[in-house]
Amino acid sequence: MRALARDSAAALPTADPAQRRSDWGTLAKLLPYLWRYRWRVALALGFMLAAKGANVGVPVLLKNLVDRLAIRPGDAAALLVVPVGLIVAYGALRLSTTLFTELRELTFAKATEGTARSISLQVFRHLHALSLRFHLERQTGGMTRDIERGTRAVHSLISYSLYSVLPTLVEVGLVLGILAWKFDAVFAWITLAALVVYVTFTVTVTEWRTVFRRHMNELDASAHTRAIDALLNYETVKYFNNEEFEARRYDENLERLRRAALKSQSTLSLLNSGQQLIIAVALVAMLWRATAGVVAGQLTLGDLVMINAFMIQLYIPLNFLGVLYREIKQSLTDLDKMFGLLEREREVADAPGAPDLVVTRGVVRFEDVSFAYDPARPILHGIGFEIPAGKTVAVVGPSGAGKSTLARLLYRFYDVGGGRITIDGQDIRAVTQDSLRRAIGIVPQDTVLFNDTVEYNIAYGRPGAGHDEVVAAARGAHIHDFIVSTPKGYETMVGERGLKLSGGEKQRVAIARTLLKDPPILIFDEATSALDSANERAIQAELKSAAQGKTALVIAHRLSTVVDAHAIVVLDAGRIVEQGTHAELLARGGAYARMWRLQQSGGGTGRAEDAAGVRVPSASKPGAPGP
């Protein structure tokens, strides 16, 4: 178990300093987002200076107040010289400090929230613009944590720098100036020396412990990813009775996180103790010199009170310098990770100045198309066929032959490695992806729904569609009767990834969604694989009606569903082995004919893979969820 833990820890991604930009580089990336709020920043800085000026004025007023009250006890005449103005001014300065601070935060809130919103939205859009390859390889839990931390880092950096670090520096400068001007320079030198030692110690120790903190965050992301992955695959965990197995794996991550957190806490305790020692020594030195000055008659009692007040005001914010520095460093790291997501190259990008796709007839051509997900393992080899305008072409073949890859390439989730794909003569790589995907509708084999209502999921095919249009699409997909039979009808929640619906119900929702989109080009990737025979026949008729006058690519396992196709393309190992109509292919007695005979002898429920020697389950039984 320990060896496993060590191996897992070693496999965790760690921040490579060589790959990370500098902290100044990260700040430089943030500044353009803040620049649009520059007038608010300037106004907030003005309020900050006013707040610190009032704050520094408080000890000065307190000194004058104490000196004016140096009277003999019982002296009735002293009541006539009570400095009412100083008392009122003292209260006004205290109030002003709070008032200017709140005005600063109120003024800058729009800049902080606006900046966080802009960056988060840009990351969200960029992630959707990245290729399918990126999303197949990502770890959802860890990535969402990176985005969450990055968004929080924007708030932290702005609030800590503008609300804590910069005000403290201003206050330090004012205090040092007053000490050097009103008293001898030793007071200023003691304060400055203590600050230098304090800051040096804090930065050094914090830099040392940042490694532990970063490792703890990586372990936290790993544990979160493990939990999310297990919960998303709840059914699989249940199928194999692996609740305890997943719990043990999660606990191993939590144990590593616990050890890292303890190490981080122990280094934090060392940092805090050292800081307090430096502050205590500096305070003793200052008060000893001030007290000696009072005894010698060089300073007044008010001077002693003022110096003490200055030190308290100065060291209270400095007491949090270690926390601030650590949080700023961590925020810079988190923000850098989120900017790193923004800098991920788009594998599939629009050409500069690419025009929109113009669909006039809807002729789709695959011209000598080659493709490989991995260069060492080619998937398609010189694929060439045409889907005439308004016609349906089916692609059949064994698993791994490249059938679904054709759909992904047509949707331009990937770019072809060789050859080209055209729509009405336009290379799809030369037009905008947005216009291309508006022109294509797909019913995928594995339908994943949003955790929302049935109506929302159907209307997703055309956001803004009215309820009647949604109902019409549901009727076309033969799911309307099921929907209205549920207690909440179209307001029924489908659960995460649509898990509250059966496979067939999810697929019918997907069909309804595509019917509502009503694009000129359709892709049916095993669109009826999860349906029972009765519903399959009914929906086949609806799909045929929906495809009337549209160009359709049908990827199928059940050959009985494609007998009416204009042409049938038989793929095997990424190559076209046969092509023709159903009757022509049967007459040739080749691979298609063998698949047909095998499925017919199996009662029509066999799958095309069987003919290629791949043993797979037959089609779903009536009422059972599809794959």
Side-chain angles (χ1 to χ4, degrees):
M1 188 65 72
R2 290 180 180 175
L4 176 61
R6 284 196 300 271
D7 292 341
S8 300
L12 284 171
T14 56
D16 183 356
Q19 294 178 352
R20 285 187 63 238
R21 78 187 91 243
S22 68
D23 292 339
W24 291 110
T26 303
L27 285 174
K29 295 280 290 182
L30 177 63
L31 287 179
Y33 296 95
L34 282 172
W35 182 247
R36 69 188 68 175
Y37 301 102
R38 53 192 177 277
W39 299 115
R40 283 185 172 271
V41 174
L43 186 58
L45 289 175
F47 284 132
M48 182 270 293
L49 291 173
K52 283 305 169 187
N55 201 40
V56 170
V58 169
V60 177
L61 267 179
L62 192 59
K63 163 200 159 38
N64 291 325
L65 183 60
V66 170
D67 287 342
R68 290 283 297 274
L69 290 178
I71 54 179
R72 294 188 303 274
D75 188 351
L79 294 176
L80 300 177
V81 294
V82 171
V84 177
L86 289 176
I87 294 175
V88 173
Y90 178 83
L93 279 179
R94 284 288 188 188
L95 178 61
S96 297
T97 301
T98 302
L99 181 62
F100 285 129
T101 300
E102 293 302 321
L103 285 173
R104 176 199 66 191
E105 295 191 7
L106 184 62
T107 300
F108 207 61
K110 185 174 181 179
T112 304
E113 298 300 331
T115 299
R117 174 191 174 191
S118 298
I119 296 176
S120 299
L121 181 59
Q122 189 176 354
V123 171
F124 183 78
R125 283 178 167 159
H126 185 71
L127 288 175
H128 277 98
L130 292 177
S131 69
L132 180 62
R133 191 190 309 273
F134 168 82
H135 289 279
L136 291 176
E137 294 174 352
R138 73 169 190 238
Q139 290 184 313
T140 304
M143 188 182 70
T144 54
R145 276 296 176 95
D146 286 343
I147 297 173
E148 177 188 339
R149 287 200 188 104
T151 304
R152 193 168 60 240
V154 175
H155 292 86
S156 299
L157 278 174
I158 294 174
S159 62
Y160 289 146
S161 58
L162 188 66
Y163 300 162
S164 300
V165 176
L166 188 58
T168 300
L169 293 176
V170 170
E171 190 167 10
V172 166
L174 290 173
V175 168
L176 288 176
I178 292 173
L179 290 175
W181 174 57
K182 288 190 66 68
F183 310 108
D184 62 76
V186 177
F187 285 101
W189 283 115
I190 292 174
T191 305
L192 186 60
L195 289 174
V196 170
V197 173
Y198 184 96
V199 171
T200 302
F201 174 79
T202 299
V203 170
T204 303
V205 175
T206 303
E207 281 288 345
W208 168 62
R209 65 182 303 272
T210 296
V211 177
F212 303 112
R213 175 79 177 187
R214 186 178 296 136
H215 183 55
M216 186 181 73
N217 283 342
E218 289 168 354
L219 290 173
D220 178 44
S222 176
H224 186 67
T225 298
R226 166 55 50 200
I228 291 292
D229 196 38
L231 291 173
L232 287 176
N233 292 284
Y234 167 84
E235 288 181 272
T236 304
V237 174
K238 287 294 190 182
Y239 289 152
F240 295 96
N241 288 21
N242 277 340
E243 295 92 339
E244 281 305 312
F245 172 73
E246 290 295 338
R248 284 196 304 272
R249 293 185 68 187
Y250 183 45
D251 188 48
E252 287 170 9
N253 282 275
L254 291 178
E255 172 59 21
R256 289 194 293 271
L257 176 59
R258 183 190 68 84
R259 291 198 297 266
L262 289 176
K263 187 176 292 185
S264 178
Q265 181 58 47
S266 63
T267 58
L268 177 60
S269 298
L270 174 64
L271 174 64
N272 290 338
S273 300
Q275 288 173 331
Q276 291 306 311
L277 176 62
I278 295 170
I279 290 174
V281 171
L283 281 173
V284 167
M286 290 288 286
L287 289 178
W288 172 80
R289 186 163 183 82
T291 303
V294 172
V295 172
Q298 297 171 346
L299 300 177
T300 66
L301 192 59
D303 291 329
L304 175 63
V305 171
M306 183 176 71
I307 291 172
N308 185 62
F310 272 147
M311 293 302 99
I312 292 174
Q313 283 189 183
L314 201 58
Y315 284 117
I316 285 178
L318 280 179
N319 196 35
F320 298 101
L321 179 61
V323 176
L324 293 177
Y325 182 75
R326 185 192 72 226
E327 291 300 327
I328 287 174
K329 290 288 290 184
Q330 185 59 48
S331 294
L332 286 168
T333 300
D334 293 340
L335 190 59
D336 180 60
K337 282 188 176 181
M338 191 160 73
F339 280 141
L341 289 174
L342 274 175
E343 292 170 355
R344 287 293 295 259
E345 291 290 337
R346 298 184 182 184
E347 183 180 342
V348 179
D350 289 342
D356 285 348
L357 174 70
V358 178
V359 180
T360 53
R361 299 174 60 228
V363 179
V364 177
R365 285 193 181 94
F366 287 77
E367 301 177 4
D368 196 28
V369 171
S370 298
F371 177 74
Y373 294 105
D374 184 335
R377 183 174 171 266
I379 300 296
L380 300 178
H381 308 269
I383 299 297
F385 65 91
E386 176 182 304
I387 311 177
K391 301 297 183 179
T392 296
V393 170
V395 178
V396 300
S399 290
K403 302 186 300 299
S404 293
T405 298
L406 293 176
R408 289 176 171 180
L409 292 175
L410 180 56
Y411 235 89
R412 211 182 164 206
F413 284 153
Y414 301 93
D415 276 333
V416 297
R420 66 175 192 159
I421 302 173
T422 65
I423 297 177
D424 287 335
Q426 302 160 85
D427 191 326
I428 63 173
R429 292 171 296 185
V431 299
T432 61
Q433 296 175 66
D434 182 63
S435 63
L436 170 68
R437 290 164 188 159
R438 280 201 307 267
I440 304 174
I442 186 168
V443 180
Q445 180 177 3
D446 183 18
T447 300
V448 177
L449 303 180
F450 292 95
N451 190 4
D452 211 302
T453 64
V454 172
E455 179 161 1
Y456 175 87
N457 278 281
I458 295 176
Y460 201 77
R462 182 156 50 88
H467 178 71
D468 291 341
E469 294 173 295
V470 171
V471 171
R475 289 183 185 278
H478 283 252
I479 196 174
H480 172 74
D481 291 341
F482 162 75
I483 295 173
V484 296
S485 70
T486 60
K488 293 185 178 180
Y490 281 85
E491 294 303 310
T492 299
M493 297 293 292
V494 302
E496 189 165 15
R497 298 188 301 131
L499 290 177
K500 290 184 178 180
L501 303 181
S502 71
E505 290 157 359
K506 286 197 296 183
Q507 211 150 23
R508 280 178 281 177
V509 168
I511 293 170
R513 191 160 56 188
T514 302
L515 292 177
L516 183 62
K517 184 178 181 180
D518 193 28
I521 300 171
L522 295 172
I523 301 173
F524 299 117
D525 187 358
E526 280 298 291
T528 60
S529 63
L531 303 178
D532 57 73
S533 299
N535 274 302
E536 181 184 26
R537 284 192 294 271
I539 289 181
Q540 277 298 135
E542 293 297 337
L543 292 179
K544 186 175 181 180
S545 175
Q548 196 71 30
K550 298 180 186 295
T551 304
L553 172 65
V554 178
I555 296 167
H557 286 132
R558 298 177 190 170
L559 303 186
S560 60
T561 64
V562 299
V563 293
D564 294 328
H566 172 76
I568 298 172
V569 176
V570 183
L571 283 187
D572 189 9
R575 290 181 170 83
I576 296 178
V577 294
E578 285 185 316
Q579 192 171 174
T581 64
H582 172 70
E584 291 170 347
L585 293 175
L586 285 182
R588 290 177 192 171
Y592 181 84
R594 289 195 298 273
M595 286 189 283
W596 177 262
R597 286 195 299 271
L598 182 60
Q599 291 194 13
Q600 291 302 303
S601 65
T605 59
R607 293 183 124 187
E609 284 87 338
D610 298 322
V614 181
R615 297 190 61 83
V616 296
S618 63
S620 303
K621 295 179 181 179

